[in-house]
Amino acid sequence: MGKAVIKTNNWPFAKGEKAKLVWIGEPIKKNNKWMFYAYFRANNITRKILLDWASIHFLSVDKYYIDGNLNNGESIEDSIIMDINLGGIKADYREKDWELRGSGFYDKTKSKTFNFLKNGSLFTIPIIEIIRAVLAPNQFLLNRILEKDILENYFTYDITPDKLTLHFTSEYEEKLLKSEKVNQLAWILTNPDILKMFRNIATNLREHGELRYEFLFDKFNIKARVVRKNSYVRVLQILSLKKKTINVDEINVYHPSQEILEASDEPKKRKYVSQSNYGIRTLDPHADGSTKNTEEIKTFIITHEYEHTPKIIKVQSGRKLKRVKENKNTKTYVFEDKGLRTTADTGGEDLLRGLEFKNIAKINEKGELEEFIEILRLLEKREDVKSVEVIIGELSAASHGKKFSLLNDGITKRKYAIGKICMINGREISFIDIEREDKSLSMLVLRSHQTINWKSIFNILLYNLVNDSGKWSNAVIERFERIGILIHRMNHTKKDIFHKKKAFYKMLV
């Protein structure tokens, strides 16, 4: 059975035309996420397309691609497969200026490689290929490797001489608990030099604005697709990494999903059905971020071989009742899957629809959140308030069956409102309010003295609100506060709207 058809919807070439990938650009921050330009050439014309950063898993230089199908590239005829052992050989980092000209563009960049001299032969490997195939061979790690100090949002860990214990948060998706992904994490965490390489990539991007890191592998045994000319070997694509060492014998895994399930006699109130007639997955670079429940798109296989693999123990904690029966009162919700996908992962919970602020003048909200909007309108009139923007959205079910995402009727999705107030002095403060009905739930007030990816913060808070059945997660709030985000709970009162406006304004000043 062949690989899945993964197409990009911004392919610039004619149908059936073969285009050779000539260059993979460095990551750039665009549209609040990491992206890159890929450069393809056909009929002596070079064109570039913008893709999400994690889409580099589909690509390999000097392969031919047709009709935007990125997962089925065709190798050039003069490439060969070679086993290469570069362990113990000093890596020489080199960079040189590189120019790319094409249809409507002229780009200047740098070629960055690690070079190895062995037995009279020179081996050269692009630094981006080592990131793609060795350090971050799956979508989760590839999206994390550009983010400084972000791993702690997904797990904490403890290492003893023979054991690694991983405590995952609910932000780490259950589908990522597969053994190959846990082993890759364990390999990074139990080898200090590899962890240093992983972390330094984000540090250099943030502090120096460039993709660069040291080569700190003591073992580097790979199988690769290469082009060889006499004593010069150019690595095009790493296919596998061999003889990896995980420096523990046992891995204990804790995850919120690992509860002991017990069947309930109560029938289901609702069930969810995904309806799909599409065999093609289309990548959309305009999407804000993938959902927690979206399938992980398979790329070509990158094999990682270990000298030994530790025993993985998934620790169950807590019990959970699961309704397995259905009756005439069970409501069925059908979701249409149109095949659109994104490899971006900015914490978004709405597939292909990111959180977008609108000017408050364009908001016309009725119902329980109407007063929240009116208070923001009153604040906008103050002289020291520069602007007020609002997001109105519906909570998504963090896990199918989570009741809090729906109102008491079991059908209507519960709404949230996020108000962002920008002051004349440059300070930004955000308020989050939720439709409560009869529930006791405070508003949140957020602010920080540093640049923050607020959309990601909002999504994580809302995701955990649903997953924790309508309670703001203390663990998540404490973790955000440790990285400099100030979060204050603000209780609802029965005072009139002008007293409430004063309470809001105190939060601003």
Side-chain angles (χ1 to χ4, degrees):
M1 186 175 178
K3 287 176 287 190
V5 176
I6 308 295
K7 290 190 173 185
T8 179
N9 62 3
N10 58 346
W11 187 248
F13 298 98
K15 185 174 178 59
E17 188 174 26
K18 278 189 176 182
K20 179 180 172 182
L21 179 65
V22 296
W23 188 262
I24 295 175
E26 294 197 1
I28 55 174
K29 204 65 177 290
K30 199 175 184 67
N31 302 329
N32 200 39
K33 58 181 177 176
W34 288 104
M35 306 185 79
F36 72 101
Y37 283 106
Y39 299 80
F40 295 86
R41 188 169 182 79
N43 293 326
N44 295 320
I45 297 176
T46 302
R47 302 180 186 274
K48 67 177 181 179
I49 64 174
L50 186 65
L51 294 169
D52 293 322
W53 164 247
S55 298
I56 67 171
H57 273 154
F58 299 105
L59 300 177
S60 180
V61 171
D62 282 5
K63 274 190 175 182
Y64 291 95
Y65 298 84
I66 302 174
D67 298 338
N69 185 354
L70 302 184
N71 209 30
N72 289 283
E74 178 185 324
S75 300
I76 60 175
E77 294 180 356
D78 57 349
S79 66
I80 60 174
I81 305 299
M82 177 182 287
D83 289 313
I84 306 170
N85 186 356
L86 298 174
I89 299 176
K90 181 176 174 57
D92 178 25
Y93 172 80
R94 295 181 187 176
E95 63 178 53
K96 63 179 180 180
D97 293 333
W98 196 264
E99 296 180 352
L100 292 148
R101 300 174 183 265
S103 178
F105 70 87
Y106 169 55
D107 291 350
K108 289 184 177 182
T109 183
K110 289 183 182 294
S111 167
K112 299 178 180 181
T113 58
F114 288 118
N115 298 272
F116 308 82
L117 188 60
K118 180 180 180 181
N119 300 331
S121 293
L122 179 65
F123 297 83
T124 180
I125 307 175
I127 69 169
I128 205 167
E129 178 62 16
I130 294 174
I131 293 174
R132 185 195 68 82
V134 176
L135 291 172
N138 62 63
Q139 184 176 313
F140 170 79
L141 287 176
L142 201 52
N143 279 315
R144 301 289 82 73
I145 204 167
L146 301 184
E147 301 171 334
K148 186 178 179 182
D149 299 330
I150 200 67
L151 289 178
E152 290 75 9
N153 283 356
Y154 298 90
F155 61 86
T156 57
Y157 67 95
D158 181 62
I159 301 176
T160 61
D162 60 350
K163 184 188 300 183
L164 168 66
T165 301
L166 287 162
H167 288 268
F168 290 102
T169 69
S170 57
E171 280 84 55
Y172 189 85
E173 301 175 52
E174 182 181 358
K175 66 190 176 190
L176 298 178
L177 295 175
K178 296 176 182 177
S179 58
E180 68 269 18
K181 293 180 173 60
V182 173
N183 282 332
Q184 176 69 15
L185 267 181
W187 177 65
I188 293 172
L189 297 174
T190 64
N191 288 276
D193 284 343
I194 296 172
L195 181 59
K196 180 180 178 181
M197 291 170 64
F198 191 96
R199 292 188 182 277
N200 280 354
I201 290 168
T203 299
N204 287 333
L205 263 179
R206 182 160 182 168
E207 296 181 1
H208 306 293
E210 65 172 346
L211 188 71
R212 185 171 176 176
Y213 58 96
E214 292 181 83
F215 187 92
L216 300 176
F217 295 102
D218 57 351
K219 299 177 183 178
F220 198 71
N221 194 329
I222 62 174
K223 176 182 285 188
R225 186 172 63 87
V226 307
V227 171
R228 181 165 197 165
K229 294 182 179 179
N230 300 321
S231 61
Y232 175 67
V233 180
R234 183 165 69 101
V235 172
L236 303 175
Q237 176 186 354
I238 295 174
L239 302 174
S240 67
L241 182 67
K242 304 177 180 181
K243 297 184 178 181
K244 294 171 62 176
T245 300
I246 300 175
N247 292 309
V248 291
D249 298 319
E250 182 180 300
I251 305 173
N252 287 336
V253 173
Y254 294 80
H255 190 274
S257 67
Q258 291 169 181
E259 297 173 306
I260 300 173
L261 295 179
E262 296 180 352
S264 170
D265 292 332
E266 295 290 325
K268 293 181 180 179
K269 289 187 176 181
R270 61 191 71 86
K271 69 176 181 178
Y272 298 86
V273 178
S274 178
Q275 193 174 70
S276 173
N277 296 314
Y278 295 82
I280 297 175
R281 299 291 182 257
T282 303
L283 297 178
D284 185 351
H286 301 295
D288 183 59
S290 58
T291 71
K292 295 289 181 186
N293 296 320
T294 302
E295 65 179 317
E296 184 176 28
I297 304 172
K298 300 297 182 184
T299 61
F300 53 77
I301 296 174
I302 304 169
T303 305
H304 283 227
E305 301 174 9
Y306 296 89
E307 292 183 332
H308 83 283
T309 52
K311 181 180 180 181
I312 298 176
I313 301 173
K314 294 184 179 180
V315 183
Q316 289 185 314
S317 58
R319 295 178 180 272
K320 181 179 180 181
L321 291 176
K322 183 175 182 179
R323 302 185 184 198
V324 295
K325 300 176 183 178
E326 298 178 15
N327 64 13
K328 63 180 181 180
N329 296 319
T330 302
K331 295 182 175 64
T332 299
Y333 296 87
V334 179
F335 297 91
E336 184 180 4
D337 181 358
K338 296 183 179 181
L340 290 174
R341 295 294 186 269
T342 173
T343 58
D345 181 13
T346 59
E349 291 306 320
D350 292 322
L351 182 61
L352 305 181
R353 186 188 68 193
L355 297 175
E356 295 299 334
F357 281 103
K358 294 181 180 179
N359 188 284
I360 195 168
K362 299 179 180 180
I363 302 297
N364 184 24
E365 182 63 22
K366 301 296 181 182
E368 190 174 340
L369 296 175
E370 183 177 1
E371 186 180 67
F372 177 79
I373 300 301
E374 288 305 312
I375 293 172
L376 296 180
R377 291 189 200 279
L378 292 173
L379 290 173
E380 187 186 32
K381 297 177 181 180
R382 297 196 68 99
E383 292 183 358
D384 52 350
V385 172
K386 181 179 179 182
S387 65
V388 179
E389 295 181 307
V390 177
I391 296 170
I392 301 288
E394 296 173 339
L395 293 177
S396 297
S399 301
H400 287 332
K402 291 295 184 180
K403 297 179 182 179
F404 189 74
S405 62
L406 305 175
L407 295 178
N408 290 341
D409 61 12
I411 299 173
T412 308
K413 283 193 173 183
R414 191 180 300 275
K415 286 185 177 182
Y416 64 84
I418 302 174
K420 183 176 71 173
I421 299 178
C422 299
M423 307 295 287
I424 294 294
N425 61 10
R427 179 185 293 178
E428 290 186 356
I429 300 93
S430 295
F431 296 84
I432 304 179
D433 198 13
I434 311 291
E435 280 188 314
R436 292 172 292 126
E437 289 185 301
D438 56 351
K439 295 176 172 59
S440 175
L441 180 65
S442 59
M443 287 180 284
L444 289 188
V445 186
L446 299 87
R447 54 191 163 200
S448 176
H449 299 297
Q450 55 187 319
T451 302
I452 296 291
N453 180 359
W454 284 112
K455 291 183 180 181
S456 176
I457 302 300
F458 298 149
N459 273 310
I460 291 172
L461 286 166
L462 294 174
Y463 173 83
N464 281 279
L465 176 69
V466 175
N467 222 30
D468 290 350
S469 303
K471 298 177 182 177
W472 296 116
S473 171
N474 289 329
V476 171
I477 289 174
E478 289 170 4
R479 188 163 68 250
F480 287 157
E481 288 177 339
R482 287 197 295 270
I483 62 173
I485 300 172
L486 304 177
I487 300 179
H488 177 79
R489 286 178 169 86
M490 189 173 177
N491 294 326
H492 291 88
T493 69
K494 294 182 179 180
K495 294 182 178 180
D496 63 53
I497 192 170
F498 295 102
H499 281 90
K500 291 178 181 179
K501 184 200 75 170
K502 291 180 180 179
F504 272 57
Y505 186 70
K506 287 181 179 178
M507 294 294 174
L508 302 182
V509 298

